[in-house]
Amino acid sequence: MQAGGVPNQATSPGQLTSHLEAPKKAQPQFIMRTFSTATRAALGALVLSAHPLLRAESQDDIQALRAQIQQLDQQLRILERKQEIRDEEAAAAAKAAPRIAITDKSFAFASGDGADSVRIGGLIQLDSRLFFNDGGGVLNNTFVLRRARPIVDGTFEKIYSFQFVSELGGTGSPSILDANFGVKLNDALQFKFGKFKTPIGLEWLQSDSWTFFDERSIATDLVPNRDLGLQVSGKFDGGVVTYAAGVFNGVPDSTNTSNADFDNDKDVFGRIYLQPFKNDPTAVLQGLAFGVGAGLGRQKGALAVTSGYKTDGQQTFYKYRSTVVADGQVWRVSPQAEYRRGPFGAIGEYVVSTVNVRPAAGKPKAQLENKAWELSAGYVLTGEDSSYAGVVPDHSFSWQNGTWGAWEVAVRYADLKIDPKAFPTFADPTINADEARSIGLGLNWYLSKTVRTTFDFYDTRFSNLVPLSSTQILRQDEKAFITRFQLSF
Amino acid sequence: MARAAPTLHTQRTLSLIMKIFAYRLFIASILASLVSLAVPAHAQKTIELLNVSYDPTRELYQDYNAAFARYWKAKTGDDVVIKQSHGGSGKQARSVIDGLPADVVTLALAADVDALASVGKLLPADWQKRLPESSAPYTSTIVLLVRKGNPKGIRDWDDLVRPGVSVITPNPKTSGGARWNYLAAWGYALKKYSGDEAKARDFIGALYRNVPVLDSGARGSTTTFIKHGIGDVLISWENEAFLALKEPGGDQFAIVVPSLSILAEPTVAWVDKVVARKGTAAAAKAYLEYLYSDEGQDIAGKNFYRPRSAVAAGKYAAQFPQVKLITIDEVFGGWTKAQKTHFADGGIFDQIYLPH
């Protein structure tokens, strides 16, 4: 803990102290000074008024009176000084005292100097999914607790950070989503260890809370999700150049690690992202960013095969045969770009995912290359800035005050193509699509920084190599209307 | 006999080993390149040191830091920026133990630096041997500062226990200077009462009954006496008293040299754990060693600290009054014993002082 008059340095991880205010101190010193000034004035007036009465008294009495006044003056000064010391000590104690803040950003606890902090947050997403023209109930209209996550993160000694997130929602069992800690030596050099998002896809790396649409595009199906490993990252020149590189266990596309590696090999990922005009507020291209993420590795076994690619409505439209095993090199590359200017924002990325697979152990293998791309754009109708980190309304929704938060419209197009070599050896053409193309239209209502409601319509068209059987959901296009109620803090 | 050609299995194994090696070398080279980009290059750098000091040394280290920065730049080509923290010596020591990242401490007494070693485990127990003169590059003593004309007729320690005399001195629980003040008065009382501890205790009790305000540090007490006009006499560091006379309005005060005072030895040390973590060991050591140089000693003398070097001591001899000095070792058995007897929780000071 710091004390002794050395000013605190600004903190980065956790940035909690900016809204943590020391308690206001009382103003007894002003009251004391006013009182003592008035008392001195009264004493002086008393002496002056008494003077005519004392003309006949001896000089000794006058001296005694002066001594008394000096004594009273000293006592007043002592009282003032003691109060001043008490105020200084109170201010120093307040500065060193732990701080607790409950805000719309989180529940935060921090040491007086801000070096240590813990933040408790959460994410709740309740979806309503309506499917149209799905042949009468093949797809269930349903409410879904899409995500329910308690989030704990924080810092120690300013340079050590940690994050722990569990997933209690979704359709799987409760699990640990993120569990990692980091060491930040400086802006350009930070290390992270544990389970966290692999540094490749632009849309994937965005927070689950603040994407344009409530579901990421089908292009993000081709990138791995969270994995176990270690990463070095940093930024230069205030974020003009951002990089990340890491070594991970390796997971298939669209998969979270199960906390154990299924083979002996590792995957390497790297991403570099440039915002060349970031520090020039006058540049029209200040909000332009672009980069590339890539991954290279070797994977082996049945667990190294993706469980499938899903539509915006979370229906699986492509899956390998159950006997398929991975055996060989895996590589992915994703050039990506983003542009934000005022209320307008757009992101786009192209993803290639290459795997080496065998139809069954011992069978000849093939290299399959699946490709996807997406382009999304949004516009904040109420004028607030579009942001990768979410729109912050100028005025939160308030029925009493007649303010309506922020409103944003969004549009997206995405396309995912399966390598034709996958069929029929590695995937059954009668139950899988070989391509999906999706259009999304969205309306987002940001009631506050922490509450968002989204209204999204998706129309996903499938192409199939052969006609599908009547029971397959992919027999017709997916038309889904998904509403999400979200609390994120 | 010709060696058999490697089998296909062996060839594949060797190939796999080579691929793994190349793969890991590739990863290592990428990471090394990124690290070298992020880690600042070695040529000309700026080193930052934090000097945690006791209360009245602001002017001393303002002058000294500028001189050291020039010296270090000339010697190494690097820039050094020294940040200062000032406060009561005991309070400062506690702050460092609690985590204030001091590269060096320049505190009022060895006991406070000892606490960094024994409680904080921040430096070795034998730290005092690492620099000359038991790590005390300059000394001082305790004098009495009175108002112009000395209206209360303060001549010696006896006058501080008279009824009606208001004495200003800081809190010995937080201030190193206050502990020197206390021990100087106690030493006088012991001499006056031929070693009678009980009478010395009564003497000190009477003195502290005349103290209306206890500041946390020596500079605070100076502020109380000079700026706020409280008290008849300030028990003060010698250097602090001389500085007060130099300031505007200093002609309103006068120094009274008591018949006996104490040799005060402020000590300095680099904080091993902090400099090891920050990589500032060389600069921190050099910073303290330069205090013993001709320039460092001259700066000390100019700021009214009694230099150790014969040259500087001779140059500034005329500005320091002659005063009989006792030492902490000869009268109190050293700082460890004095701290435990007088200033630890429940010690003599706690027993005799009642806030009023």
Side-chain angles (χ1 to χ4, degrees):
Chain A
M1 305 266 181
Q2 288 194 2
V6 177
N8 291 322
Q9 294 181 2
T11 174
S12 174
Q15 298 203 354
L16 295 164
T17 58
S18 61
H19 59 267
L20 298 176
E21 295 179 351
K24 291 193 187 332
K25 63 176 183 181
Q27 302 293 325
Q29 193 171 353
F30 172 74
I31 296 170
M32 285 301 307
R33 284 202 175 128
T34 305
F35 174 72
S36 67
T37 304
T39 306
R40 287 198 191 101
L43 284 171
L46 180 65
V47 170
L48 289 173
S49 65
H51 181 67
L53 299 176
L54 292 175
R55 279 182 193 147
E57 302 293 329
S58 68
Q59 283 296 319
D60 289 343
D61 291 334
I62 293 171
Q63 291 294 337
L65 202 57
R66 281 205 179 110
Q68 204 171 16
I69 292 168
Q70 284 169 355
Q71 191 182 7
L72 285 170
D73 180 63
Q74 275 288 291
Q75 286 173 355
L76 280 168
R77 288 171 187 264
I78 289 168
L79 285 172
E80 275 181 12
R81 179 61 178 153
K82 282 185 171 177
Q83 186 59 53
E84 200 173 276
I85 292 171
R86 274 196 288 269
D87 290 346
E88 287 169 3
E89 288 172 354
K95 197 176 172 185
R99 299 175 187 184
I100 299 172
I102 300 175
T103 68
D104 61 353
K105 296 179 182 61
S106 60
F107 303 152
F109 311 87
S111 61
D113 61 359
D116 308 296
S117 63
V118 175
R119 189 187 74 94
I120 297 174
L123 172 63
I124 301 173
Q125 293 176 340
L126 176 68
D127 289 1
S128 158
R129 292 179 187 162
L130 297 175
F131 295 95
F132 302 96
N133 298 333
D134 60 342
V138 176
L139 295 171
N140 291 331
N141 299 329
T142 180
F143 288 113
V144 174
L145 184 62
R146 181 70 173 92
R147 294 180 177 94
R149 296 175 183 170
I151 299 168
V152 181
D153 57 38
T155 59
F156 292 110
E157 296 180 51
K158 288 191 178 175
I159 68 167
Y160 303 108
S161 62
F162 71 93
Q163 181 190 43
F164 185 82
V165 182
S166 56
E167 178 65 84
L168 306 178
T171 54
S173 307
S175 62
I176 296 172
L177 203 59
D178 295 284
N180 56 78
F181 71 95
V183 182
K184 182 180 176 182
L185 300 183
N186 53 48
D187 279 348
L189 192 58
Q190 305 174 43
F191 297 94
K192 189 187 273 191
F193 310 88
K195 184 178 178 185
F196 49 94
K197 290 184 179 179
T198 49
I200 180 166
L202 176 62
E203 195 182 34
W204 172 240
L205 288 170
Q206 192 174 15
S207 166
D208 295 314
S209 306
W210 308 118
T211 48
F212 280 131
F213 289 83
D214 49 30
E215 297 295 343
R216 293 182 177 82
S217 71
I218 53 180
T220 302
D221 279 340
L222 296 188
V223 301
N225 291 0
R226 288 170 169 84
D227 203 351
L228 279 166
L230 63 94
Q231 173 184 284
V232 59
S233 65
K235 61 182 180 181
F236 298 94
D237 199 14
V240 171
V241 177
T242 306
Y243 77 93
V247 178
F248 299 86
N249 276 346
V251 290
D253 295 344
S254 201
T255 304
N256 282 319
T257 182
S258 64
N259 205 28
D261 202 354
F262 47 73
D263 64 19
N264 213 24
D265 293 298
K266 298 291 170 276
D267 288 8
V268 178
F269 286 90
R271 179 173 179 264
I272 188 155
Y273 203 58
L274 306 174
Q275 300 181 70
F277 308 100
K278 183 180 167 93
N279 296 327
D280 182 358
T282 64
V284 171
L285 297 180
Q286 185 188 23
L288 175 68
F290 52 89
V292 63
L296 174 69
R298 297 182 69 84
Q299 294 178 7
K300 191 168 184 176
L303 294 176
V305 177
T306 181
S307 57
Y309 302 138
K310 291 185 177 178
T311 64
D312 298 311
Q314 300 304 293
Q315 310 304 313
T316 303
F317 69 89
Y318 175 82
K319 191 172 178 178
Y320 289 101
R321 294 185 185 276
S322 61
T323 57
V324 171
V325 296
D327 188 3
Q329 199 172 66
V330 171
W331 64 270
R332 304 169 179 99
V333 66
S334 173
Q336 53 205 238
E338 178 185 6
Y339 180 70
R340 309 261 176 188
R341 184 168 174 81
F344 174 76
I347 67 170
E349 58 185 318
Y350 179 78
V351 187
V352 178
S353 171
T354 303
V355 293
N356 280 270
V357 287
R358 299 180 190 277
K363 298 288 186 185
K365 68 177 173 181
Q367 183 169 285
L368 302 181
E369 189 173 273
N370 301 322
K371 299 174 186 176
W373 65 275
E374 69 100 0
L375 183 62
S376 309
Y379 190 88
V380 185
L381 299 171
T382 43
E384 289 89 342
D385 287 344
S386 174
S387 170
Y388 191 73
V391 175
V392 178
D394 288 339
H395 306 284
S396 295
F397 168 70
S398 169
W399 187 259
Q400 291 86 347
N401 298 333
T403 54
W404 295 94
W407 292 82
E408 178 184 51
V409 292
V411 62
R412 179 170 77 197
Y413 186 86
D415 182 0
L416 190 155
K417 279 186 189 166
I418 305 298
D419 190 331
K421 296 197 299 292
F423 304 99
T425 308
F426 300 96
D428 186 345
T430 66
I431 59 171
N432 288 296
D434 68 311
E435 183 175 3
R437 296 181 301 279
S438 171
I439 293 175
L441 298 172
L443 176 66
N444 301 323
W445 181 20
Y446 298 83
L447 288 81
S448 72
K449 170 62 182 167
T450 56
V451 179
R452 180 173 91 157
T453 302
T454 60
F455 309 91
D456 294 333
F457 175 74
Y458 303 103
D459 184 351
T460 305
R461 311 280 171 96
F462 305 106
S463 74
N464 314 101
L465 292 178
V466 299
L468 300 182
S469 68
S470 61
T471 59
Q472 295 306 313
I473 60 170
L474 302 180
R475 201 164 55 83
Q476 49 248 332
D477 303 328
E478 179 189 90
K479 289 181 174 50
F481 181 71
I482 301 177
T483 304
R484 172 169 293 171
F485 305 93
Q486 172 182 289
L487 174 70
S488 173
F489 64 99
Chain B
M1 185 186 235
R3 290 169 66 179
T7 63
L8 182 59
H9 173 75
T10 306
Q11 284 178 350
R12 283 181 177 164
T13 302
L14 286 173
S15 172
L16 180 64
I17 291 171
M18 290 302 294
K19 282 183 182 174
I20 292 171
F21 178 75
Y23 173 72
R24 289 177 179 171
L25 186 62
F26 170 69
I27 297 167
S29 65
I30 288 178
L31 291 176
S33 301
L34 291 170
V35 168
S36 69
L37 275 174
V39 173
H42 181 70
Q44 194 184 349
K45 55 188 180 196
T46 299
I47 299 166
E48 194 173 283
L49 299 177
L50 173 61
N51 175 4
V52 173
S53 190
Y54 61 111
D55 219 5
T57 56
R58 288 169 176 77
E59 293 77 10
L60 167 67
Y61 283 106
Q62 191 174 345
D63 291 345
Y64 178 74
N65 291 346
F68 179 75
R70 287 192 298 271
Y71 161 76
W72 189 252
K73 179 81 175 177
K75 182 180 175 186
T76 67
D78 292 335
D79 294 313
V80 61
V81 174
I82 299 115
K83 288 192 172 174
Q84 288 292 133
S85 169
H86 294 277
S89 184
K91 210 167 144 189
Q92 293 287 72
R94 172 51 55 185
S95 297
V96 176
I97 291 169
D98 286 343
L100 183 59
D103 298 90
V104 300
V105 290
T106 55
L107 297 178
L109 50 132
D112 287 339
V113 184
D114 279 334
L116 303 190
S118 59
V119 177
K121 313 291 183 203
L122 296 170
L123 63 169
D126 62 348
W127 61 271
Q128 212 163 357
K129 296 178 189 170
R130 305 194 294 191
L131 290 168
E133 306 286 356
S134 300
S135 293
Y138 45 80
T139 67
S140 190
T141 188
I142 304 301
V143 298
L144 308 175
L145 190 70
V146 298
R147 302 201 183 274
K148 180 182 178 183
N150 198 359
K152 291 292 180 81
I154 308 291
R155 300 278 180 261
D156 208 345
W157 294 103
D158 282 321
D159 298 308
L160 271 58
V161 301
R162 283 197 336 244
V165 172
S166 178
V167 180
I168 303 300
T169 180
N171 188 343
K173 304 290 277 187
T174 53
S175 163
R179 277 173 274 172
W180 290 116
N181 294 355
Y182 173 109
L183 293 174
W186 189 285
Y188 171 84
L190 276 182
K191 179 169 179 286
K192 176 184 167 110
Y193 296 114
S194 304
D196 188 330
E197 296 271 349
K199 286 187 176 168
R201 180 186 169 121
D202 290 341
F203 183 92
I204 295 297
L207 189 152
Y208 275 90
R209 280 194 290 278
N210 283 349
V211 176
V213 177
L214 273 183
D215 286 273
S216 62
R219 185 53 58 92
S221 285
T222 306
T223 302
T224 296
F225 184 74
I226 292 180
K227 183 182 165 195
H228 291 269
I230 298 172
D232 301 308
V233 55
L234 169 68
I235 310 177
S236 167
W237 285 101
E238 179 180 55
N239 69 283
E240 191 78 339
F242 278 114
L243 277 176
L245 298 187
K246 269 183 66 178
E247 292 292 314
D251 60 340
Q252 297 301 306
F253 306 98
I255 293 176
V256 170
V257 180
S259 62
L260 179 144
S261 191
I262 193 165
L263 177 66
E265 296 176 293
T267 47
V268 303
W270 61 86
V271 183
D272 295 60
K273 272 208 174 164
V274 173
V275 299
R277 189 175 76 232
K278 291 167 73 176
T280 54
K285 285 180 195 172
Y287 178 77
L288 296 180
E289 284 166 351
Y290 198 64
L291 281 166
Y292 296 87
S293 67
D294 289 342
E295 187 175 21
Q297 291 287 293
D298 192 76
I299 291 172
K302 201 175 352 177
N303 282 275
F304 303 104
Y305 294 85
R306 298 186 178 217
R308 290 286 202 185
S309 80
V311 170
K315 179 179 176 183
Y316 292 100
Q319 78 180 16
F320 295 112
Q322 295 293 317
V323 56
K324 181 173 168 44
L325 297 176
I326 58 173
T327 68
I328 185 85
D329 290 333
E330 72 190 23
V331 177
F332 299 98
W335 263 115
T336 304
K337 192 174 171 191
Q339 180 72 23
K340 188 178 173 186
T341 304
H342 293 276
F343 309 115
D345 289 342
I348 292 177
F349 177 75
D350 283 344
Q351 295 168 35
I352 63 174
Y353 178 73
L354 290 171
H356 52 273

